Amino acid sequence: DTLWDLAIAEVEKREKPDDDGKRVEVWEKSVLFMGNKNGGKTTIILRCLEREEIPKPTLALEYTFGRRARRHNTPKDIAHFWELGGGTSLLELIRIPITSNNIRSFAVVLVLDLSKPNELWTTMEKLLQVTRNHVNKILTKLEKTNPEVATEIKQRMRNNLQRDHPVILAVIFCFLFLMYMFQCQLFQEFDSEMRKTISKTLRFVSHYYGASLVFTSKSEALLLKARALINHLAFGYDKSKSVSVDHSKPLFIPAGLDSLSQIGPPPASDSDIGKMHANTPLELWKKVFEKTFPPKSFCDLHDTKDPAQDLQYAEYEVDVMRAQKNQ
């Protein structure tokens, strides 16, 4: 058989009705992992795909996929996993995995290292800002070329937000925040007020974006919880209904199960809040958080190491031509 014959046979198999006479629909979803360098993104993906491999450093933007059958003798659903390396240094690559073709079935997993709170907001803000700008461009284009799809996506996001939500955002696809406690013991060494500030801030930000919030680590029990939520995004599995909001323990809050009344006000005195000039609730929480954890500048977080100079990627012919071009 030729490649075309195999492709035709595969399509016919997918479109063939099942035993109940119903046509079986194949899921195809995409998930982008981004966040802190060395935060554990690769580890989470491998666990989700049940691969017993030793994680390797991510170079630029890497891709893998997984396939799962919902039940016996049915076509396997497909999940595309993208992983952005380099922290915040390769933001322009976000436009590659997020396209107008897959925007309806796309999710983002933001992985942050809670042992580095001074980098947390800067990293989170920069990644979300670039992602949101790119998504808005796609939606603007869709409103002209396919307005029905653009309306459907916006309505779906509105449906995911609770009534007490502070604002309907321009970020339209499903965000999953995965706060990865890679250095779990360091986070536990913070005093209770610092842990409370981090936890409450992340709860507000996650609620603001209509996202899930998960604290995880190398603990098997916590990894299983994180894996269950990712399987929900990637393969449509049922979402967990369990909730943990105790700031002294790892948080686990699926999207839609938190509220502003439960989160409470920013962890600062009324006099301090009165001195902070903020135009939006998100800006107010940012100022309160950065008062406790002064941020590192974006330049400090930018990765200046050039992968082209790394000896493990050396290729003689390519390097010679590159040297000629530079000369």
Side-chain angles (χ1 to χ4, degrees):
D1 289 345
T2 67
L3 184 61
W4 289 113
D5 294 330
L6 294 171
I8 291 170
E10 178 70 18
V11 171
E12 289 176 346
K13 180 181 176 183
R14 293 183 182 184
E15 294 181 347
K16 183 180 178 181
D18 61 12
D19 296 337
D20 299 327
K22 298 178 181 178
R23 179 169 291 184
V24 179
E25 182 183 358
V26 176
W27 289 64
E28 190 165 349
K29 297 195 174 185
S30 301
V31 184
L32 170 63
F33 287 75
M34 59 185 185
N36 285 116
K37 290 184 295 181
N38 304 316
K41 300 183 289 296
T42 306
T43 300
I44 297 171
I45 293 173
L46 292 176
R47 288 305 304 271
C48 183
L49 296 176
E50 299 179 0
R51 293 182 186 169
E52 299 294 333
E53 301 175 20
I54 299 175
K56 298 178 182 177
T58 303
L59 179 68
L61 182 68
E62 296 192 0
Y63 167 83
T64 188
F65 69 94
R67 302 177 72 201
R68 299 271 172 84
R70 271 172 277 180
R71 57 183 186 273
H72 186 60
N73 273 344
T74 59
K76 291 184 176 181
D77 298 327
I78 303 169
H80 306 280
F81 291 93
W82 297 86
E83 183 182 354
L84 180 68
T88 57
S89 63
L90 300 169
L91 296 173
E92 68 277 6
L93 295 180
I94 287 175
R95 60 185 171 80
I96 295 175
I98 308 177
T99 67
S100 57
N101 293 327
N102 65 13
I103 189 71
R104 299 169 73 180
S105 58
F106 206 96
V108 171
V109 177
L110 181 58
V111 181
L112 300 176
D113 188 344
L114 298 188
S115 69
K116 302 174 182 176
N118 299 86
E119 299 179 11
L120 194 150
W121 193 285
T122 306
T123 300
M124 177 175 66
E125 184 176 56
K126 196 68 182 176
L127 288 168
L128 290 181
Q129 179 184 11
V130 173
T131 305
R132 186 161 78 177
N133 290 343
H134 178 62
V135 171
N136 286 340
K137 288 180 182 177
I138 292 176
L139 285 173
T140 301
K141 183 179 178 181
L142 277 177
E143 285 173 347
K144 298 176 181 177
T145 60
N146 200 337
E148 294 84 4
V149 172
T151 302
E152 175 199 333
I153 295 171
K154 290 181 179 180
Q155 187 59 47
R156 191 189 312 159
M157 185 59 188
R158 289 188 179 97
N159 293 339
N160 289 337
L161 298 176
Q162 291 185 317
R163 291 180 180 178
D164 73 343
H165 197 271
V167 65
I168 297 295
L169 296 167
V171 179
I172 305 300
F173 53 88
C174 175
F175 273 104
L176 170 78
F177 282 74
L178 188 65
M179 306 305 176
Y180 188 67
M181 293 170 58
F182 193 66
Q183 303 291 342
C184 189
Q185 69 278 9
L186 296 180
F187 179 74
Q188 293 299 332
E189 288 174 5
F190 295 156
D191 65 52
S192 61
E193 286 303 311
M194 293 171 73
R195 289 202 305 270
K196 183 178 179 181
T197 298
I198 294 173
S199 298
K200 288 191 67 171
T201 301
L202 294 180
R203 283 181 66 185
F204 175 82
V205 173
S206 299
H207 182 65
Y208 186 85
Y209 283 103
S212 299
L213 174 63
V214 183
F215 281 14
T216 187
S217 68
K218 293 181 178 179
S219 160
E220 190 67 25
L222 295 179
L223 278 173
L224 284 174
K225 283 189 172 184
R227 178 182 162 193
L229 263 182
I230 294 171
N231 279 332
H232 164 70
L233 283 181
F235 298 105
Y237 289 13
D238 291 339
K239 185 167 62 174
S240 174
K241 291 291 195 285
S242 66
V243 178
S244 175
V245 296
D246 186 347
H247 297 142
S248 64
K249 300 177 182 178
L251 299 183
F252 183 83
I253 311 173
L257 299 184
D258 209 348
S259 67
L260 293 178
S261 59
Q262 290 178 308
I263 297 169
S269 65
D270 292 340
S271 59
D272 286 341
I273 291 178
K275 298 174 184 176
M276 297 176 182
H277 303 288
N279 297 320
T280 64
L282 188 65
E283 187 178 344
L284 175 61
W285 279 85
K286 176 184 178 180
K287 288 178 180 293
V288 171
F289 182 81
E290 291 183 344
K291 188 173 186 294
T292 305
F293 302 103
K296 287 189 176 182
S297 68
F298 180 60
C299 294
D300 293 337
L301 298 177
H302 202 82
D303 189 5
T304 56
K305 183 179 178 182
D306 184 0
Q309 305 302 321
D310 195 323
L311 294 178
Q312 69 172 317
Y313 304 115
E315 293 186 55
Y316 177 75
E317 293 84 357
V318 174
D319 294 339
V320 168
M321 295 187 72
R322 182 185 173 98
Q324 288 178 349
K325 181 180 179 181
N326 289 341
Q327 188 178 9

